[in-house]
Amino acid sequence: MSDFPKPLPQLAGVNAYVPGEAPKNTGGKTYKLASNENPLGASPRAKHVYAELAAKMDLYPDGAARELKAAIAKKHGLDVKRLVVGAGSDDIFLMLGRAYLGPGDESINTAHAFAIYAIIAQQQGAKVVEIAEKDFTADVDAILAAVTPRTKMVWLANPNNPTGTYLPYDEVKRLHAGLPPHVMLVLDGAYAEFVSKNDYASGIELASQFGNVIMTRTFSKLYGLAGLRVGWGYAPEHIVDAIERVRMPFNVNLPAQAAAIAALEDDAFTEQSLAHNAAELPRLAGELVKLGLSVIDGVGNFVVAEFPAAKGKTAGEALNYLKDRGVTVRSLAGYKMANHLRISVGTTEANNAALALLKEFLGK
Ligand SMILES: Cc1ncc(COP(=O)(O)O)c(C=O)c1O
């Protein structure tokens, strides 16, 4: 046994997060459809502001992110005192874990939930309780049945990544109503802006009304700022207070704060991005169905397709076939969906490239 410092024992159980792969250099055109990024890039206004701020690298950002919070509050009609910002929404989840989860606590997530929730709970030494889904969708009754006096947190991405499915707001409200007040409901709305269903809401209202709900959003998807790392959360003031006690003082950097404000104000870019997604998401899904694949009915900015189990046609083989030809998509083997692949909505050109390769791969 070495005498070197030992990490916390709970870290032995953590499977580190595996990000979507960048395309390999094939000498030709390549496309990354593996991380649900905005295929149209970032808001031109945000890019301009970011470039200008290269001259201010020597300055610390405003740790309280006052201007950014004011801009978010204005955009969504929120109370600025209930806002928290993070270096991506991941940072907010981490702060929630640090503030609320410890050994002996239970943390609930669904079987195909976004991986970070379980990683954070494990890092904190809490027990991860994983709840089976129905048709790749969160099952409210099953979640409620798993709640115990030790349950501290229920995480729900709505819509969920990687499945793309969502719970109607009535179901989210039913979930919340069934939770005891000591259980926090984390509503992760990373893909909220893409949902155009009448029965959907991200949960701002629940977070405004109740003492045990936080709703989070990100600038990484619709706003195209994944590389800058900006996310925000809306919660009762006592949750904001707890987060502030674990937050690093300058967690969102200066150009990121300014670019996020500019992105929020760039309606032309977000409208264009939403219109692109609204057209390409059903087209991509429809074309995959025409290739004989079954597709999960998702509402985010990505499509999930199931591949045959037969050798030569599997998801793993399709993944490699695409990768070798310059297109990366997401393996879902780590999400207990080894027969599925997740394909982000790309530019029309990128989507066509992926579809043409899959057609070839499947011998259609
Ligand atoms: C459901 C969900 N939540 C949160 C995130 C994290 O986003 P970020 O940390 O970039 O805000 C992602 C990123 O893929 C996601 O899919």
Side-chain angles (χ1 to χ4, degrees), residues 301-325:
N301 64 347
F302 53 90
V303 175
V304 178
E306 184 174 9
F307 285 73
K311 201 165 175 306
K313 304 276 185 223
T314 66
E317 288 161 301
L319 179 85
N320 288 330
Y321 189 89
L322 293 173
K323 196 192 311 186
D324 288 342
R325 288 156 185 80

Side-chain angles (χ1 to χ4, degrees), residues 17 35-36 87-91 93 114 117 157 159-161 188 190-191 217-221 226 229-231:
Y17 184 77
S35 298
N36 301 341
S89 39
D90 284 349
D91 188 29
F93 304 145
F114 183 49
Y117 313 147
N160 183 51
N161 169 32
D188 172 358
Y191 301 94
R217 302 283 268 271
T218 183
F219 282 89
S220 301
K221 308 297 174 186
R229 316 302 303 125
V230 194

Side-chain angles (χ1 to χ4, degrees), residues 86-99:
S89 39
D90 284 349
D91 188 29
I92 295 173
F93 304 145
L94 182 63
M95 293 191 282
L96 281 172
R98 287 190 66 208

Side-chain angles (χ1 to χ4, degrees), residues 253-334:
N253 71 65
L254 189 150
Q257 290 188 30
I261 295 170
L264 269 182
E265 290 165 355
D266 194 344
D267 290 338
F269 178 76
T270 49
E271 276 162 27
Q272 198 189 351
S273 300
L274 287 175
H276 176 77
N277 196 66
E280 285 294 294
L281 177 74
R283 186 179 79 87
L284 189 55
E287 293 298 321
L288 291 169
V289 169
K290 280 190 213 159
L291 293 179
L293 301 172
S294 80
V295 164
I296 298 177
D297 192 15
V299 294
N301 64 347
F302 53 90
V303 175
V304 178
E306 184 174 9
F307 285 73
K311 201 165 175 306
K313 304 276 185 223
T314 66
E317 288 161 301
L319 179 85
N320 288 330
Y321 189 89
L322 293 173
K323 196 192 311 186
D324 288 342
R325 288 156 185 80
V327 178
T328 51
V329 299
R330 192 73 145 94
S331 161
L332 298 185

